[in-house]
Amino acid sequence: MIRVLLVDDQSMVRTGFRTILESEDGIVVVGEAENGQVAIDRALELAPDVICMDVQMPVMDGLESTAEIVRRGAAGAVLMLTTFDRDDFLFQALAAGASGFLLKTAEAEQLIDAVTALAGGDGLLSPEVTRRVIERSVRSTVTTTSAAPELELLTDRELEVLHLVAKGLSNSEIAGTLFVGEATVKTHVSNLLTKLDIRDRIHVVIFAYENGLVGS
């Protein structure tokens, strides 16, 4: 079962999300929180697989809460949910450590797909947010052309997989490109995350752009 924590200051929104998610076999909502501060405690207590996090809330917003959850090493990939299609929210959410970003106007199936993707270790952005926007944001934050020292920890094969992940290829597509099994690719990706100290694939992409491994 995919265990989900819902974080939103509006109880009706949480109820709606719960109804949508629990209509899908294999997903269960294990808890709710009405603000970011409570979310930190619930995340540490419940160890959910995915945290559906609102951006704007009283007491503590979703961005600050996400950063603290990540800092404390709590379980759960964070899916940011907002009614505002704003680039600054997207970039701040990614910087805080969120693994996905979805507008509340998305279809119910998109929410289910997003939760499933994050639970499987994939990052996700809503269709409205293009890769071009991410690339532009990353380029604007690059302050050095020196490659990260963590890259020296990677084997040649892991570096090859890193390039393919950064280009947006799925595990099955990478397996076909390298003529290896998908399980082997999953192992390489897992090793990448560990060696680079990165939470998920979407941050692998950002890392690759920040270090000039993928052209703009």
Side-chain angles (χ1 to χ4, degrees), residues 55 63 80 82 84-103 124-126 128-137 202-203 206:
V55 174
L63 299 171
M80 302 298 301
T82 178
F84 303 99
D85 188 6
R86 288 173 45 180
D87 288 351
D88 57 340
F89 282 161
L90 164 66
F91 302 144
Q92 291 176 56
L94 293 176
S99 299
F101 186 93
L102 194 68
L103 297 181
L124 178 139
L125 299 176
S126 67
E128 295 87 346
V129 182
T130 67
R131 184 163 172 168
R132 177 182 56 80
V133 175
I134 299 177
E135 293 173 12
R136 186 181 66 225
S137 172
I202 195 168
H203 288 88
I206 294 173

Side-chain angles (χ1 to χ4, degrees), residues 53-67:
M53 179 81 73
D54 189 23
V55 174
Q56 294 186 313
M57 294 179 290
V59 182
M60 179 183 288
D61 66 29
L63 299 171
E64 185 178 355
S65 178
T66 296

Side-chain angles (χ1 to χ4, degrees), residues 33-83:
E34 65 273 18
N35 61 61
Q37 183 60 63
V38 176
I40 296 171
D41 297 333
R42 295 284 166 80
L44 293 169
E45 172 192 357
L46 299 173
D49 300 303
V50 178
I51 303 169
C52 294
M53 179 81 73
D54 189 23
V55 174
Q56 294 186 313
M57 294 179 290
V59 182
M60 179 183 288
D61 66 29
L63 299 171
E64 185 178 355
S65 178
T66 296
E68 185 63 15
I69 287 172
V70 172
R71 187 189 70 80
R72 294 197 188 188
V78 177
L79 174 65
M80 302 298 301
L81 294 162
T82 178
T83 56

Side-chain angles (χ1 to χ4, degrees), residues 26-205:
I27 298 178
V28 60
V29 175
V30 295
E32 300 182 10
E34 65 273 18
N35 61 61
Q37 183 60 63
V38 176
I40 296 171
D41 297 333
R42 295 284 166 80
L44 293 169
E45 172 192 357
L46 299 173
D49 300 303
V50 178
I51 303 169
C52 294
M53 179 81 73
D54 189 23
V55 174
Q56 294 186 313
M57 294 179 290
V59 182
M60 179 183 288
D61 66 29
L63 299 171
E64 185 178 355
S65 178
T66 296
E68 185 63 15
I69 287 172
V70 172
R71 187 189 70 80
R72 294 197 188 188
V78 177
L79 174 65
M80 302 298 301
L81 294 162
T82 178
T83 56
F84 303 99
D85 188 6
R86 288 173 45 180
D87 288 351
D88 57 340
F89 282 161
L90 164 66
F91 302 144
Q92 291 176 56
L94 293 176
S99 299
F101 186 93
L102 194 68
L103 297 181
K104 288 183 178 179
T105 54
E107 299 294 331
E109 293 78 8
Q110 290 178 293
L111 176 60
I112 292 172
D113 290 345
V115 167
T116 302
L118 265 65
D122 291 332
L124 178 139
L125 299 176
S126 67
E128 295 87 346
V129 182
T130 67
R131 184 163 172 168
R132 177 182 56 80
V133 175
I134 299 177
E135 293 173 12
R136 186 181 66 225
S137 172
V138 170
R139 288 199 301 272
S140 69
T141 60
V142 172
T143 59
T144 178
T145 58
S146 300
E150 294 89 344
L151 288 171
E152 297 182 2
L153 301 175
L154 304 182
T155 65
D156 290 342
R157 178 62 88 181
E158 289 166 352
L159 189 58
E160 195 172 6
V161 171
L162 170 60
H163 279 87
L164 296 175
V165 169
K167 291 180 179 179
L169 273 66
S170 66
N171 283 351
S172 60
E173 290 171 332
I174 294 173
T177 300
L178 300 180
F179 303 102
V180 298
E182 192 169 343
T184 300
V185 174
K186 290 181 179 180
T187 298
H188 288 317
V189 172
S190 178
N191 289 340
L192 281 174
L193 298 179
T194 299
K195 291 182 178 181
L196 299 179
D197 193 23
I198 296 175
R199 288 172 63 88
D200 50 55
R201 295 171 75 102
I202 195 168
H203 288 88
V204 169
V205 176

